[in-house]
Amino acid sequence: MSSTLFRTKRVEQSLLDTEEPEHALKKSLSALDLTVFGVGVIIGTGIFVLTGTVAKNNAGPAVGLAFVTAAVACALAALCYAEFASTVPVAGSAYTFSYASLGELPAWIIGWDLVLEFALGTAVVAVGWSGYIQSLMANAGWELPAGLGSREGTGDFGFDILAAALVLLLTCVLVVGMKLSARITALVVVIKVTVVLTVIVAGAFFIDGDNYDPFVPKTQTVQAGSSLQAPLIQLMFGWAPSNYGVMGIFTAASVVFFAFIGFDVVATAAEETKNPQRDMPRGILGSLLICTTLYVAVSIVVTGMQHYTELSVDAPLADAFKATGHPWFAGFISFGAAVGLTTVCMILLLGQTRVFFAMSRDGLLPRFFSRVHPRFKTPHRPTILLGVLIAVLAGFTPLTELAALVNIGTLFAFVVVAVGVMVLRRTRPDLHRAFRTPWVPVIPLLSVCASLWLMINLPAETWVRFAIWMAAGFLVYFCYGHSHSRIARHEETTVGEVMKRPRRDER
C-alpha cells in the first residue's frame, strides 16, 4: 500500500500526455505574455490596501523592508519554480512537479491545496472588486437594490451580484481562449501599472522627511487574543505578540506576503507556452522583480506623504493624497484598483482550472473534466464548473476570515516545490534542465525555512481550517483518486500511440 502512495509519474510520461488530441492545450503564450500575467495577478489588493495596514499596525515606515523580506522568500521559491516549469512544462504547476518527484499522494495533497488556494483567492478578490465598483457607483449617485451589493463585514444576508457576475464573465473569457485572456490582461495591466507609477511619481512631490522618524518604531507588546487567533509561533514558543521593531517587520512580511501571491500561477500556464524552457523562467522571475520594485517604491512614498500613525487602513494610497489636499488622485487610484483586480481574479481562476485539469488527466479526478474544447482547445468543462461554484461562493459568503487560507496554501506549495527540486536532482540527474536553480540544495533549503517561518506567523485558527480541508482531501483521494489513477490502471500514453497521431500543426 505504502509503495503505491508514493508512485511517481515519469517526466517523459507527463510530456507524452500533453500530446493526446482530446487532452492537449493550445500553445500560444510568449515570455511577454507570461510576465504580463504575473504582474497582472500580483499587483492587486495588496499594494492598494495592505501598505497602510502593516505600516500602521506592524512596521511603521519600515514597511518597505517587510515587502523586501516577503519578496526574498518569494524569490527563493521562484528559482525553484523556474527550474521545474522549464523542465516539466506541463499544466498543473506544483501538483505536476510533485507527481514527478515526490509521488502520487504528495501530488494529490498539493493539488487539493491549490484548488482551495485559487478558489478562495478568486472569490476574495471578486468581493473586493465589487466593493471598489460600488464605491465608484456611490460617487456617481448610483446604488444597487438592497440585498444585491457587497456584504463584506456587515453580516447581512443577500447576494453580491457584482462579484458573481465578474467571475462568470471571466469564466467565459477563459473558455474562449488563452490568447484573448492574454490580450485583456495586457490592456488592464497597462492601466494598473500607470496608476501605480502615478502614485509613485506624483506622491514623491508631497513627501515630508519628518514622517520617516522613527523609521523603525520601538517594539510595543500588545495584549494577546484568544489562543486560536494568536499566531502559531506564539503558541509554540510562548512569545508575547508585539508590534513594530524587528519582529514587527517579520510580522508585517507574513501579512504582505498576500500581495505577492500570483507569480506561482504563471507556472500553471507552462503547457500553453510556445517555448517554456526559455520563457517560463523569464516570466516568473521577471514579474516578481517588477512587482517588488513597485511595491517598495509605493511603500516609501505613502509613508513619506503621511505619518504611519495616521494612515488609512481601508484605502491608504487614496486617503494619503486626500490628506495632502489632492482628492482627485483618490478617485483615480480607486478606478485603477477596480480595473486591476479583474486580472487578479481571472488569472487565479485560470490557475485553478489548470490544476484541476491536470489532476483529471491523471485520473485522480474524473477524466470527463480533462477533455478540451474542440475549437478553443481550452479545458472548458472544469472552467465552467469551477467558475459557477466560485461565483456562488463569492456571491453568498463573506470571506475575510478565510482569506488567510490563501497564504498558508501558497506557502505550503512553496515548501513542496523546493523539496521536489532537491529530490528530482538526485533521482533524475539525466533530465535536461534549461534553467537550473543555483546553489542546490542551499537555495531550496532556504526557501523551505523562509516559507515555514511565514507559515508559523499565521493565526492558529488558519492552521485548524487548513487541517480540516486537508483531511477532506485525504478522504476524496482514498475513496476515488487512489484506485482511478491512470498509473494504477496502467493507462499511460505510449510513445507509439503519439507517433500514430497527426502532429498538432497537421490537425
Side-chain angles (χ1 to χ4, degrees), residues 76 79-80 83 425 435-444:
L76 294 171
L79 291 170
C80 299
E83 175 170 325
R425 282 284 187 97
F435 178 89
R436 297 176 68 89
T437 303
W439 303 327
V440 174
V442 176
I443 292 297

Side-chain angles (χ1 to χ4, degrees), residues 11-270:
V11 173
E12 293 83 356
Q13 181 62 56
S14 294
L15 296 176
L16 284 174
D17 287 348
T18 67
E19 293 295 326
E20 295 185 75
E22 295 181 337
H23 308 280
L25 300 174
K26 183 178 181 180
K27 294 182 180 293
S28 60
L29 301 180
S30 64
L32 178 60
D33 292 327
L34 295 173
T35 303
V36 169
F37 270 134
V39 174
V41 71
I42 296 173
I43 297 181
T45 306
I47 195 170
F48 293 113
V49 177
L50 292 181
T51 304
T53 302
V54 296
K56 189 170 185 176
N57 299 332
N58 303 112
V63 63
L65 296 179
F67 276 113
V68 171
T69 302
V72 168
C74 289
L76 294 171
L79 291 170
C80 299
Y81 268 90
E83 175 170 325
F84 256 132
S86 59
T87 306
V88 194
V90 178
S93 184
Y95 158 76
T96 299
F97 308 155
S98 301
Y99 214 160
S101 56
L102 302 178
E104 187 172 282
L105 180 60
W108 167 267
I109 292 172
I110 198 63
W112 186 254
D113 162 62
L114 290 174
V115 167
L116 173 70
E117 172 198 338
F118 292 145
L120 290 180
T122 305
V124 168
V125 173
V127 171
W129 176 88
S130 175
Y132 273 111
I133 293 297
Q134 290 177 69
S135 176
L136 291 172
M137 291 172 60
N139 291 338
W142 302 338
E143 289 188 7
L144 290 174
L148 293 181
S150 175
R151 298 157 293 94
E152 192 65 17
T154 67
D156 296 335
F157 178 79
F159 187 78
D160 191 337
I161 192 170
L162 291 180
L166 174 67
V167 175
L168 293 177
L169 175 63
L170 296 179
T171 297
C172 295
V173 172
L174 290 176
V175 168
V176 171
M178 281 292 289
K179 200 60 185 177
L180 175 61
S181 305
R183 290 170 179 167
I184 293 176
T185 300
L187 175 62
V188 175
V189 166
V190 169
I191 298 174
K192 183 159 50 176
V193 172
T194 299
V195 172
V196 174
L197 291 176
T198 300
V199 170
I200 296 170
V201 175
F205 291 95
F206 308 122
I207 290 178
D208 182 351
D210 292 339
N211 289 330
Y212 293 127
D213 185 23
F215 187 72
V216 181
K218 293 182 179 180
T219 302
Q220 295 181 4
T221 302
V222 298
Q223 184 177 0
S226 69
S227 58
L228 285 180
Q229 293 175 341
L232 183 65
I233 189 172
Q234 176 191 338
L235 300 180
M236 293 172 60
F237 301 105
W239 293 354
S242 61
N243 290 335
Y244 312 123
V246 175
M247 289 305 300
I249 294 175
F250 282 118
T251 301
S254 68
V255 177
V256 301
F257 176 80
F258 181 83
F260 287 95
I261 289 176
F263 79 85
D264 57 318
V265 182
V266 176
T268 66

